[in-house]
């Protein structure tokens, strides 16, 4: 007689897998009309563990899925050369979604113990929630299809796989130190707050979240202004939220390879390198993006001194910030000149530049100039 946990597992499997396990992998391949070696490759690409050929672990739903996948290839919709890559991308994304949904279910049961008083009750809960989850997933999928289809047909001559975009990274500063100072529950709250803020801000300005990488978000935008607003808004909003550490950002513009929801290429690497040398609360951008934003009156760009990072020698980024109100009229130039003479400002030095030069950011401009003269 199986114990209660095994009974619950079997009951949930019947609900989730669409019936009892009754076929081996070879039988699934035969019923679906798919060659044995191909069915094995697809199963592994989906991220499932390899099972012995004589083990009965498959259901009628597996046969239907294998047959449908084969028909998509045969119809020409999916090129045979990328069939495994497409399958792998699908498996990876849905695996993460499934893990999150199971965690959500157990949190629900933990917070409301009456929902899980018995195995039968848990099974009924899953049976009731499953159609609703499927409905929401289908809706979100269709909305994204509509959005990407609209973009594709708006520019039919553009190569959707390789096109010009702005790539940006925004990461929390001091994350490693933070993980040593707080417990797992608090860390989870920080990550949830950052992810919520990041996804909302990026969507608000018509960008796309490529992925969350722990303490960092990778996003793309189709325009320079949209990318600038994303980075600036995220920096401002995290600064105003005491529950989230300060962030820094790096962005670059150019040709980007889009492949199965991820992005690749030198532009991605450059944006990552810029992020690594940015100070808390600052945004560094490459020369290409700076050129695109140069004529935008809403922003201020301060060119930084050359810096060498992994893969790039004498990289000369610019710091991006919102334009500040400046004096106008005949007094503007005289005020700037007087400020420089008094040591209150420096004409071409960004406020956050000393960090890359090995200088103390708190040092006054006058003291900094005296020390440099002594060095000479």
């Amino acid at each position: 007689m199986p114990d209660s946990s095994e009974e619950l597992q079997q009951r949930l499997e019947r609900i989730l897998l669409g019936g009892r396990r009754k076929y081996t992998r070879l039988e699934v391949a035969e019923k679906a009309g798919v060659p044995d070696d191909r069915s094995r490759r697809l199963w592994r690409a989906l991220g499932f563990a390899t099972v012995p050929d004589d083990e009965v672990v498959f259901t009628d739903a597996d046969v239907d899925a294998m047959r449908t996948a084969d028909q998509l290839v045969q119809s020409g919709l999916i090129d045979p050369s990328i069939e495994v890559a497409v399958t792998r991308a699908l498996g990876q994304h849905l695996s993460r979604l499934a893990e999150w949904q199971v965690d959500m279910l157990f949190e629900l049961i933990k917070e409301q113990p009456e929902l899980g008083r018995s195995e039968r009750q848990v099974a009924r809960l899953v049976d009731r929630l499953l159609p609703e989850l499927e409905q929401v997933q289908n809706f979100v999928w269709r909305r994204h299809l509509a959005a990407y289809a609209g973009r594709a047909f708006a520019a039919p001559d553009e190569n959707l796989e390789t096109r010009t975009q702005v790539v940006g990274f925004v990461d929390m500063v001091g994350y490693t130190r933070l993980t040593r100072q707080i417990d797992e529950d608090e860390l989870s709250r920080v990550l949830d707050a950052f992810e919520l803020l990041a996804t909302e801000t990026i969507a608000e300005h018509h960008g796309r979240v490529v992925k969350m990488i722990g303490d960092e978000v990778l996003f793309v935008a189709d325009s320079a202004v949209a990318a600038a607003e994303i980075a600036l808004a995220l920096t401002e909003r995290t600064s105003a939220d005491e529950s989230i550490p300060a962030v820094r950002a790096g962005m670059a513009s150019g040709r980007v390879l889009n492949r199965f929801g991820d992005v690749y290429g030198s532009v991605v690497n450059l944006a990552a390198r810029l992020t690594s040398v940015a100070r808390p609360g600052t945004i560094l951008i490459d020369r290409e993006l700076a050129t695109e934003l140069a004529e935008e009156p809403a922003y201020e760009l301060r060119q930084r001194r050359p810096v060498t990072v992994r893969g790039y020698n004498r990289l000369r980024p610019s710091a991006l910030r919102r334009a500040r109100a400046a004096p106008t009229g005949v007094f503007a130039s005289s005020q700037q000149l007087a400020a420089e003479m008094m040591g209150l400002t420096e004409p071409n030095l960004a406020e956050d530049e000393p960090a890359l030069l090995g200088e103390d950011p708190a040092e006054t401009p006058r003291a900094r100039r005296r020390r440099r003269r002594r060095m000479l």
Side-chain angles (χ1 to χ4, degrees), residues 208-224:
R208 177 174 73 86
V209 175
V210 177
K211 56 188 172 184
M212 301 294 301
I213 316 169
D215 61 325
E216 185 174 56
V217 59
L218 166 59
F219 70 89
V220 293
D222 291 333
S223 75

Side-chain angles (χ1 to χ4, degrees), residues 28-50:
V28 169
E30 182 181 1
K31 287 181 174 294
V34 178
D36 170 44
D37 58 341
R38 184 152 158 259
S39 70
R40 187 194 303 271
R41 285 198 308 272
L42 293 177
W43 181 254
R44 289 176 177 171
L46 285 169
F48 300 130
T50 301

Side-chain angles (χ1 to χ4, degrees), residues 200-254:
E200 287 183 346
T201 302
I202 293 169
E204 177 184 338
H205 296 288
H206 307 287
R208 177 174 73 86
V209 175
V210 177
K211 56 188 172 184
M212 301 294 301
I213 316 169
D215 61 325
E216 185 174 56
V217 59
L218 166 59
F219 70 89
V220 293
D222 291 333
S223 75
V225 170
E229 286 300 319
I230 289 170
L232 286 165
L234 257 177
T235 303
E236 294 160 354
R237 293 172 185 179
T238 52
S239 177
D241 190 335
E242 295 183 356
S243 68
I244 305 176
V247 300
R248 58 184 180 175
M251 299 191 296
S253 177

Side-chain angles (χ1 to χ4, degrees), residues 129-143:
L129 288 178
L130 192 62
E132 296 179 6
L133 285 174
E134 289 178 336
Q135 185 175 358
V136 171
Q137 288 170 191
N138 190 52
F139 166 76
V140 174
W141 172 63
R142 287 179 177 272
R143 288 294 301 181

Side-chain angles (χ1 to χ4, degrees), residues 30-339:
E30 182 181 1
K31 287 181 174 294
V34 178
D36 170 44
D37 58 341
R38 184 152 158 259
S39 70
R40 187 194 303 271
R41 285 198 308 272
L42 293 177
W43 181 254
R44 289 176 177 171
L46 285 169
F48 300 130
T50 301
V51 297
D53 290 343
D54 59 350
E55 189 169 342
V56 179
V57 296
F58 299 97
T59 68
D60 288 319
D62 293 305
V63 176
D64 293 338
M66 186 67 69
R67 185 180 294 121
T68 301
D70 183 59
Q71 290 171 352
L72 287 173
V73 174
Q74 297 301 329
S75 68
L77 181 63
I78 298 177
D79 190 287
S81 64
I82 63 169
E83 176 187 31
V84 172
V86 171
T87 305
R88 183 168 56 249
L90 184 65
Q92 290 173 352
H93 288 297
L94 292 184
S95 172
R96 294 183 63 189
L97 179 63
E99 182 179 4
W100 167 76
Q101 289 172 339
V102 170
D103 288 344
M104 180 183 65
L105 175 62
F106 277 93
E107 282 296 318
L108 178 65
I109 294 174
K110 188 166 65 176
E111 293 172 3
Q112 303 180 51
E114 67 276 6
L115 295 177
R117 279 195 298 263
S118 68
E119 292 79 9
R120 185 180 297 275
Q121 194 163 355
V122 172
R124 280 203 298 266
L125 175 63
V126 173
D127 198 19
R128 189 175 74 249
L129 288 178
L130 192 62
E132 296 179 6
L133 285 174
E134 289 178 336
Q135 185 175 358
V136 171
Q137 288 170 191
N138 190 52
F139 166 76
V140 174
W141 172 63
R142 287 179 177 272
R143 288 294 301 181
H144 281 299
L145 277 181
Y148 285 110
R151 185 180 306 167
F153 285 105
D157 297 329
E158 185 179 15
N159 185 339
L160 294 180
E161 188 175 71
T162 307
R163 61 184 187 272
T164 299
Q165 289 182 298
V166 180
V167 177
F169 287 88
V170 178
D171 75 355
M172 290 187 286
V173 179
Y175 175 77
T176 301
R177 183 174 63 254
L178 179 67
T179 59
R180 296 196 295 264
Q181 297 173 345
I182 61 177
D183 59 27
E184 292 180 357
D185 290 339
E186 181 60 26
L187 179 60
S188 180
R189 284 192 290 272
V190 170
L191 292 173
D192 286 345
F194 175 63
E195 185 169 345
L196 176 62
L197 190 59
T199 52
E200 287 183 346
T201 302
I202 293 169
E204 177 184 338
H205 296 288
H206 307 287
R208 177 174 73 86
V209 175
V210 177
K211 56 188 172 184
M212 301 294 301
I213 316 169
D215 61 325
E216 185 174 56
V217 59
L218 166 59
F219 70 89
V220 293
D222 291 333
S223 75
V225 170
E229 286 300 319
I230 289 170
L232 286 165
L234 257 177
T235 303
E236 294 160 354
R237 293 172 185 179
T238 52
S239 177
D241 190 335
E242 295 183 356
S243 68
I244 305 176
V247 300
R248 58 184 180 175
M251 299 191 296
S253 177
R255 300 292 288 178
V256 179
L257 172 63
N258 287 261
R259 193 169 185 269
F260 306 123
D262 211 337
V263 290
Y264 305 88
S266 61
V267 173
V268 181
N269 296 334
L270 180 53
R273 301 294 183 268
L274 290 173
T275 307
S276 69
V277 296
R279 291 186 64 212
T282 64
I283 303 165
L284 295 184
I285 64 176
D286 76 327
R287 183 178 300 177
E288 184 70 25
L289 183 55
T291 301
E292 296 177 38
L293 293 172
E295 301 302 320
E296 295 291 339
Y299 311 117
E300 180 180 298
L301 301 173
R302 295 287 187 90
Q303 193 173 63
R304 300 287 294 270
R305 293 183 178 177
V307 59
T308 297
V309 295
R310 185 161 56 92
Y312 297 90
N313 292 321
R314 296 186 61 78
L315 182 65
R316 186 148 193 163
S318 294
L320 169 69
R321 62 189 69 178
R322 293 198 186 279
R324 293 173 288 186
T328 59
V330 296
F331 297 105
S333 59
S334 61
Q335 289 180 11
Q336 174 68 18
L337 178 59

